[in-house]
Amino acid sequence: MTKDAQAAMRTTADQSRHPNLWPPFTQIESAPLPQRVIAGDGALLLREQGIPLIDAISSWWVTLHGHGHPVMAKAIADQAARLEQVIFADFTHEPAERLGERLSKLTGLDRLFFSDNGSTAVEVALKIACQWWVNRGEPRHQIVAFDGAYHGDTFGAMAVGERNLFSEPFDDKLFPVARCPWPATWWDDPDVDAREQAALAVLETTLQQPTAAVILEPLLQGAGGMAMVRGTFLRQVEMLVRQAGALLIADEVLTGFGRCGDWFACHRAGIQPDLMALSKGLTGGCLPMGVTMASERVFSAFVGADPSLTLWHGHSFTANPLGCAAANASLDLLQQDPDQFRGFEARHRPHLEQLRAHPNVTRCRLTGTVAAFDLSVSGDAGYLNPAGPTIKRIALEHGVFLRPLGQVVYLLPPLCISNDQLGQCYKAIATALDQI
């Protein structure tokens, strides 16, 4: 093939979608063509064409320390040269043992069960919670979740999430779940106390039915629109759950590892769950891995001579040594400078304070590294509101990658983002606001 023919093929490929790839959460008929990324550098994504982009959402909330971090890369490469994979049902290894010890100390939960992503970490937590009651000889069937929740896209995770456009084709396949209101709040919210009390009243009534577990995203519902609640509300939720004798599951897939201004959102809220699902930032965003943490009290019900007590669950890549090495390296970086995440809220605040005066901005809210607001625009609220794609397009023109959730605009950048880069993100948003 001549160089001219190769160039022609390349040009044609650049103007169309790859014929073999099926991207997530994308309607091929109407979505813009994807852009080819060739490298990452800190907070930047380097494209084959166009100026570098600030990755203002941490590549779907996973990239903690930035792209191409040398410590992370070296940890993975060194581990790959020693041991890249081994079945975890018959063997153990040092990276997994070290990670288990560290996460146990950080979470206050003694036992770690490995899986491979956030959705399966939630699935494992749900299975543990349900089987725990069976193993005790007093099965309970009710699961309680909150309005607006998102816990993943596998069937169990979909069941406890908000029933919506994403889950509608499968509604008849999903197990029943009791729902309670999520009293999301924002700056200068005059009615938050009343909404919290109403939600707690519904939860208290719901828990009169014997309940296996209550699952929640502590402090922050991510895909549900960056919907934030107060720690005082979550402490009252925990009290009601304890009074009902149910288990409390914290889905910290998004909120863990400093995202909410403390090691875990549960810490900041002042609650202690029985089970905790972790993923995303677990490996610093470098490799897929999920973890479900469990208390010793929960774990002990699965130990005994009867094989039926066993948690019969596993994944081929359980405790993958590369993922464990990445997770340990990420924890090293976080422990070396915890002020990076503890002080991030103060970096957001002056920018968000300035932005809140814009007539198209409402319901500003801020927790840790996550800043969000709603757009005052027409149309139905939710993922399909057309204002989001407009903001995204204009921000891209100004070197910032955003992915609004419908009418909800948010920033969730990597910890390494510079003050100038963060300012550029807010400037791009302000420019977009003036144009919608």
Side-chain angles (χ1 to χ4, degrees):
M1 183 180 295
T2 67
K3 290 184 178 180
D4 288 344
Q6 290 175 341
M9 288 185 63
R10 178 67 171 275
T11 300
T12 301
D14 287 344
Q15 295 173 350
S16 62
R17 293 185 181 277
H18 192 285
N20 307 118
L21 303 182
W22 191 341
F25 292 98
T26 301
Q27 176 45 253
I28 301 298
E29 181 70 22
S30 55
L33 292 175
Q35 302 176 58
R36 185 178 284 119
V37 172
I38 57 175
D41 181 13
L44 297 178
L45 295 171
L46 309 181
R47 296 178 287 175
E48 191 171 72
Q49 298 178 347
I51 62 175
L53 294 176
I54 298 173
D55 186 358
I57 66 161
S58 297
S59 288
W60 247 340
W61 320 342
V62 302
T63 304
L64 269 184
H65 309 290
H67 300 282
H69 197 291
V71 171
M72 300 298 300
K74 184 177 186 302
I76 295 168
D78 289 350
Q79 183 59 49
R82 290 193 299 272
L83 176 67
E84 80 298 334
Q85 171 63 8
V86 65
I87 179 174
F88 203 63
D90 299 278
F91 301 100
T92 184
H93 49 78
E94 188 276 337
E97 293 169 355
R98 182 168 178 245
L99 183 60
E101 292 167 2
R102 299 173 81 178
L103 288 180
S104 178
K105 290 178 181 177
L106 286 169
T107 63
L109 297 168
D110 296 301
R111 297 288 176 165
L112 182 158
F113 192 97
F114 286 99
S115 57
D116 54 2
N117 60 53
S119 184
T120 51
V122 168
E123 295 273 343
V124 171
L126 293 170
K127 290 179 71 173
I128 289 173
C130 292
Q131 188 177 339
W132 187 72
W133 290 101
V134 173
N135 286 3
R136 286 161 51 94
E138 46 179 320
R140 294 188 178 193
H141 304 290
Q142 177 168 269
I143 302 290
V144 178
F146 286 85
D147 293 339
Y150 173 82
H151 296 288
D153 296 318
T154 51
F155 273 83
M158 275 196 299
V160 293
E162 179 82 3
R163 305 295 170 86
N164 53 27
L165 173 72
F166 299 154
S167 62
E168 186 175 349
F170 319 105
D171 277 350
D172 64 329
K173 310 293 192 302
L174 304 179
F175 58 78
V177 173
R179 308 278 171 182
C180 293
W182 184 254
T185 188
W186 49 87
W187 289 352
D188 301 325
D189 176 6
D191 303 316
V192 60
D193 290 333
R195 287 201 308 279
E196 286 180 351
Q197 291 308 308
L200 291 166
V202 173
L203 177 61
E204 186 172 18
T205 300
T206 303
L207 289 173
Q208 292 176 7
Q209 174 77 21
T211 299
V214 175
I215 184 169
L216 53 80
E217 299 156 89
L219 290 181
L220 169 68
Q221 286 184 344
M226 299 299 164
M228 302 179 186
V229 295
R230 302 191 297 187
T232 51
F233 168 73
L234 294 179
R235 290 193 290 275
Q236 293 177 81
V237 168
E238 182 185 21
M239 181 184 69
L240 293 176
V241 172
R242 300 302 176 207
Q243 290 175 356
L247 296 177
L248 180 61
I249 302 173
D251 176 354
E252 292 234 26
V253 169
L254 163 60
T255 58
F257 304 103
R259 280 299 183 196
C260 286
D262 204 336
W263 277 99
F264 298 97
C266 286
H267 290 180
R268 185 165 182 178
I271 63 173
Q272 179 61 55
D274 302 287
L275 295 155
M276 181 185 290
L278 300 171
S279 189
K280 291 194 182 293
L282 170 63
T283 66
C286 292
L287 289 168
M289 175 172 277
V291 156
T292 304
M293 303 297 299
S295 68
E296 189 70 21
R297 169 174 171 257
V298 169
F299 171 78
S300 64
F302 291 80
V303 179
D306 185 352
S308 70
L309 297 176
T310 306
L311 178 64
W312 297 111
H313 189 100
H315 298 266
S316 300
F317 286 95
T318 291
N320 174 255
L322 302 181
C324 291
N328 279 311
S330 180
L331 289 179
D332 289 342
L333 292 171
L334 291 172
Q335 289 177 325
Q336 287 167 14
D337 189 9
D339 288 342
Q340 269 199 308
F341 58 81
R342 289 183 173 139
F344 209 103
E345 195 168 300
R347 298 176 64 190
H348 272 306
R349 188 173 294 277
H351 296 288
L352 193 58
E353 288 277 9
Q354 185 174 2
L355 207 60
R356 73 190 300 195
H358 197 284
N360 287 333
V361 171
T362 185
R363 296 187 175 183
C364 289
R365 48 206 187 266
L366 174 61
T367 298
T369 68
V370 187
F373 62 87
D374 286 11
L375 295 168
S376 295
V377 292
S378 60
D380 294 336
Y383 193 82
L384 298 182
N385 189 288
T390 301
I391 294 284
K392 178 181 179 180
R393 175 182 56 78
I394 298 171
L396 278 172
E397 294 170 357
H398 290 80
V400 176
F401 176 62
L402 302 174
R403 193 179 170 91
L405 298 160
Q407 84 288 353
V408 176
V409 180
Y410 70 92
L411 287 170
L412 203 163
L415 297 174
C416 69
I417 192 171
S418 70
N419 288 333
D420 287 344
Q421 289 170 331
L422 187 61
Q424 182 180 340
C425 292
Y426 278 96
K427 186 177 180 180
I429 291 172
T431 300
L433 289 170
D434 289 337
Q435 297 183 35
I436 62 172

